[in-house]
Amino acid sequence: MFSDKLCVITFSSLTILLFTSAHPVHTSVTQMQYNPAEKAFEVSLRIFTDDLEEALTKENNNQRVRLADNDSNGPLVERYVRKHFAIANAKRQRKPFQVLGKEQEMDATWIYIEIPYAEPVEGSLLQQSVLTDLFDDQVNLVNVSYLSQKKTVLFRKSNTQQVLNW
């Protein structure tokens, strides 16, 4: 009898815990793959959809934003990404890029970018500040593959820009 009550209490506690916190970690993952034939970085950002919706709502004068495939939020997403993600060459010239689109995957949103980059990446300045304006504990991981070199760079609210050195 005691063990039955303990099971009910434990199950209830777990249920409350699961439904009161959507996800306890605030993180994004970005993949940057250099395509030497195109002389461009192919970039994909993976961001928790609920967090991105919160950020976009804030950017949209607190008008609620809901993301879905084939929605009309492309320009809002693009404006947000341009504000929070960038790469500049070693001379600190910000590189233009094209936002190719986005797609939904369960609890995440994928955003696809292409950045023409015909010069060496050594000494480039990378900015990844997605969601750092909302969450003090936000962590943004960027996996960079450039020719035969790979590097993972970690960004936090206190460190949203880093120089790429190999």
Side-chain angles (χ1 to χ4, degrees):
M1 179 140 175
F2 177 74
S3 64
D4 289 342
K5 287 182 181 179
L6 183 60
C7 284
V8 170
I9 291 170
T10 303
F11 178 77
S12 297
S13 298
L14 285 173
T15 303
I16 290 169
L17 180 64
L18 286 174
F19 286 106
T20 57
S21 62
H23 53 87
V25 178
H26 295 109
T27 187
S28 77
V29 177
T30 301
Q31 303 291 337
M32 291 182 65
Q33 177 74 39
Y34 188 72
N35 182 333
E38 297 292 323
K39 294 187 177 178
F41 278 105
E42 297 165 346
V43 181
S44 58
L45 288 91
R46 184 183 186 279
I47 306 169
F48 281 113
T49 300
D50 60 336
D51 294 342
L52 182 56
E53 288 173 341
E54 186 176 337
L56 294 175
T57 296
K58 182 179 175 188
E59 293 283 319
N60 196 34
N61 297 318
N62 292 321
Q63 291 181 349
R64 186 73 182 138
V65 174
R66 291 282 184 205
L67 296 173
D69 285 334
N70 301 320
D71 62 25
S72 61
N73 293 313
L76 187 59
V77 170
E78 182 171 343
R79 188 170 62 237
Y80 185 79
V81 169
R82 289 189 183 283
K83 182 177 177 181
H84 292 280
F85 182 82
I87 188 167
N89 64 16
K91 296 177 184 174
R92 299 303 175 253
Q93 298 164 322
R94 195 171 172 141
K95 303 303 282 186
F97 62 82
Q98 180 180 5
V99 177
L100 303 174
K102 67 171 184 59
E103 68 179 331
Q104 305 308 123
E105 176 191 79
M106 301 198 48
D107 62 348
T109 299
W110 287 90
I111 302 167
Y112 303 105
I113 299 170
E114 185 175 71
I115 307 170
Y117 210 95
E119 55 205 287
V121 74
E122 181 72 23
S124 297
L125 183 66
L126 186 60
Q127 172 197 348
Q128 176 34 311
S129 61
V130 168
L131 303 176
T132 58
D133 54 337
L134 288 180
F135 307 111
D136 291 335
D137 63 341
Q138 179 69 32
V139 175
N140 296 318
L141 295 169
V142 179
N143 298 310
V144 182
S145 295
Y146 178 73
L147 303 177
S148 62
Q149 303 168 327
K150 293 183 179 180
K151 181 177 190 115
T152 298
V153 187
L154 182 71
F155 296 85
R156 296 180 182 274
K157 185 173 189 145
S158 61
N159 189 15
T160 60
Q161 295 185 354
Q162 293 194 45
V163 175
L164 293 178
N165 289 316
W166 303 96

